[in-house]
Amino acid sequence: MDRLTLVLWIFDSVTGLGLLLLAGWALASPQLFRGIILFVAFSLMMSIAWVRIDAPDVALAEIAIGAGLTGALLLAALSRLGDSEPTQESMNRPIERSYRARTFRSLTASLLAAVAVALVFLILALPGDSEGLGAEVAASLDASGVSSPVTAVLLNFRGYDTLLELLVLLLALLGVWSLGGLPAQPVSPAVLVLDTLARILIPVLLLSSAYLLWAGTHAPGGAFQAGAVLGAAGVLLSLAGWQVRQRYTGVTLRLLLIAGPSLFLAFALYTIVAGQSLLEYPPQRAGVMIVLLEVAATLSIGTTLAALFVAEGPRNKEGQ
Amino acid sequence: MSSVPLFALVGAGLFCIGLYALIVYAHLLRKILAINVMGSGVFLVLATLADRTVNAAPDPVPHAMIITGIVVAVATTAFALVLMLKVAEKTGRAELPDERTG
């Protein structure tokens, strides 16, 4: 074993161990606030692991969504919960400290230890090498219209996955809205530091989002990462006390939300009518169609994520 | 790659830690965190399986599926958090009612 391999092996072991420890600490931490912060640290460590197993696209998505947006969502929910929750004590009590509860916990732990051992055996029993679909993707990459294999899979070869995923995102927002949303947070005048920071960061975020979107055709990046950064810009604006003007929260908001899914559906119908199978783009036009789809999907993903963060009910003319 | 099985084992460990916390802790926010940790474990195993190719770039199909999964996970987390807040608003506690009989 040469020295580089050894160093990398140690690095991977430390990362793996760190992941397990952080996950354990995050879940067992007595204070929820600390648990959430540890969870964000866990997500950042996950993105290091993604880079180590050659998945830079996933690393980008993990940083933007796993660490950034999920962390913001969790903290916002915790602060909203704060008012109705009298003590921290009752919140973290693991069901109960009675004898029965202790038996229950140790039973669960031993059962899950057995599951873990079984999983380890299964993973070790898998053949060490596999053909995978990499060769097939590489063979048809020229016809896909983009040169990044992950983007080709997401928007061309398995486009229906992405279509359904956009619908899931929309469905989550509709779920939040149909529950009536959450009461609007009292608008506090933005602190000067936060306000200045937002003014500096928003253009940078928009630029990063556009870059990720463009880079997605030939390098790690793409609509999801770009959409997540756009959503983060929305979260930052909302935290800094900015509000969307009422006249844009009606039709304009809804059009932005459905831009991605509806363009996707239109292309799906078009390919069927043109006599091809679902979402099978004509090779000479595939590049343009994918870029159009990605732009629309980025706008929709960004808007939906920001709307999920704000989580106020929909405003319509009758309501307000 | 020598590091490959290592991260799959970590993924299995994360899944089990998350499942334990999901069962044992009563607070709903903790359960939502636990589900996210479980998901990360599954994604790690999936990505590790994609990296078993010999002398070639990793399989892009599982990577695309993981990105899809991460976005679905954040959408469900957002929805679950709103459900939790609604439960807390109705009952005053962010926990599901105890169904103990004795």
Side-chain angles (χ1 to χ4, degrees), chain B residues 13-98:
Chain B
L14 288 178
F15 180 82
C16 290
I17 291 177
L19 190 53
Y20 175 76
L22 178 69
I23 296 172
V24 163
Y25 289 106
H27 195 277
L28 289 173
L29 190 66
R30 233 172 255 278
K31 286 187 191 283
I32 295 171
L33 272 180
I35 292 172
N36 272 297
V37 169
M38 283 173 74
S40 297
V42 174
F43 295 152
L44 258 189
V45 174
L46 196 56
T48 315
L49 297 188
D51 212 7
R52 287 182 300 157
T53 47
V54 206
N55 301 324
D59 189 348
V61 177
H63 288 183
M65 287 167 73
I66 294 169
I67 295 178
T68 309
I70 289 178
V71 177
V72 170
V74 74
T76 42
T77 302
F79 184 50
L81 287 170
V82 172
L83 281 177
M84 174 193 81
L85 290 172
K86 292 285 172 189
V87 168
E89 193 183 294
K90 281 263 185 282
T91 64
R93 301 172 65 182
E95 287 174 20
L96 292 181
D98 214 345

Side-chain angles (χ1 to χ4, degrees), chain A residues 138-205:
Chain A
S140 19
L141 197 58
D142 283 337
S144 74
V146 287
S147 56
S148 156
V150 175
T151 307
V153 172
L154 272 175
L155 284 144
N156 195 333
F157 306 144
R158 291 186 66 94
Y160 46 86
D161 278 356
T162 309
L163 167 61
L164 289 174
E165 175 197 353
L166 289 177
L167 292 177
V168 166
L169 210 54
L170 196 59
L171 199 63
L173 183 65
L174 288 181
V176 170
W177 280 4
S178 63
L179 287 171
L182 298 170
Q185 294 282 74
V187 188
S188 48
V191 191
L192 187 63
V193 177
L194 184 60
D195 192 58
T196 316
L197 190 70
R199 280 165 201 273
I200 296 172
L201 274 181
I202 295 298
V204 178
L205 284 173

Side-chain angles (χ1 to χ4, degrees), chain A residues 28-311:
Chain A
S29 143
Q31 288 148 354
L32 280 170
F33 179 76
R34 192 189 290 176
I36 293 172
I37 300 298
L38 283 167
F39 178 76
V40 171
F42 164 81
S43 288
L44 288 175
M45 200 119 184
M46 278 292 290
S47 59
I48 295 178
W50 292 127
V51 172
R52 282 294 300 138
I53 46 185
D54 289 335
D57 292 85
V58 182
L60 282 173
E62 178 81 41
I63 290 179
I65 300 176
L69 277 168
T70 310
L73 282 168
L74 289 165
L75 285 176
L78 183 65
S79 79
R80 282 185 155 123
L81 201 59
D83 307 329
S84 63
E85 206 65 33
T87 57
Q88 292 279 312
E89 269 313 299
S90 73
M91 288 161 73
N92 55 55
R93 142 193 85 93
I95 297 180
E96 211 159 312
R97 298 218 171 273
S98 69
Y99 174 73
R100 251 175 91 187
R102 233 178 302 150
T103 325
F104 169 73
R105 290 175 70 190
S106 42
L107 253 176
T108 314
S110 39
L111 210 67
L112 283 173
V115 171
V117 171
L119 279 176
V120 166
F121 270 108
L122 267 177
I123 287 167
L124 293 180
L126 285 169
D129 57 323
S130 137
E131 283 297 308
L133 294 166
E136 279 166 59
V137 170
S140 19
L141 197 58
D142 283 337
S144 74
V146 287
S147 56
S148 156
V150 175
T151 307
V153 172
L154 272 175
L155 284 144
N156 195 333
F157 306 144
R158 291 186 66 94
Y160 46 86
D161 278 356
T162 309
L163 167 61
L164 289 174
E165 175 197 353
L166 289 177
L167 292 177
V168 166
L169 210 54
L170 196 59
L171 199 63
L173 183 65
L174 288 181
V176 170
W177 280 4
S178 63
L179 287 171
L182 298 170
Q185 294 282 74
V187 188
S188 48
V191 191
L192 187 63
V193 177
L194 184 60
D195 192 58
T196 316
L197 190 70
R199 280 165 201 273
I200 296 172
L201 274 181
I202 295 298
V204 178
L205 284 173
L206 292 181
L207 196 64
S208 317
S209 171
Y211 171 73
L212 280 170
L213 175 61
W214 177 247
T217 54
H218 53 84
F224 300 109
Q225 293 87 344
V229 173
L230 202 61
V235 169
L236 186 61
L237 278 178
S238 134
L239 285 177
W242 292 55
Q243 285 191 318
V244 187
R245 274 213 203 134
Q246 190 134 0
R247 95 173 103 117
Y248 297 120
T249 54
V251 180
T252 320
L253 176 66
R254 286 162 175 77
L255 281 180
L256 275 174
L257 290 176
I258 61 162
S262 43
L263 193 66
F264 234 119
L265 282 175
F267 280 178
L269 279 177
Y270 166 75
T271 47
I272 287 176
V273 171
Q276 279 140 325
S277 53
L278 180 74
L279 291 172
E280 183 192 344
Y281 314 127
Q284 66 275 17
R285 257 174 285 163
V288 180
M289 291 174 87
I290 288 181
V291 169
L292 281 178
L293 270 183
E294 286 211 284
V295 172
T298 302
L299 288 176
S300 289
I301 293 171
T303 320
T304 314
L305 288 174
L308 278 172
F309 177 79
V310 176

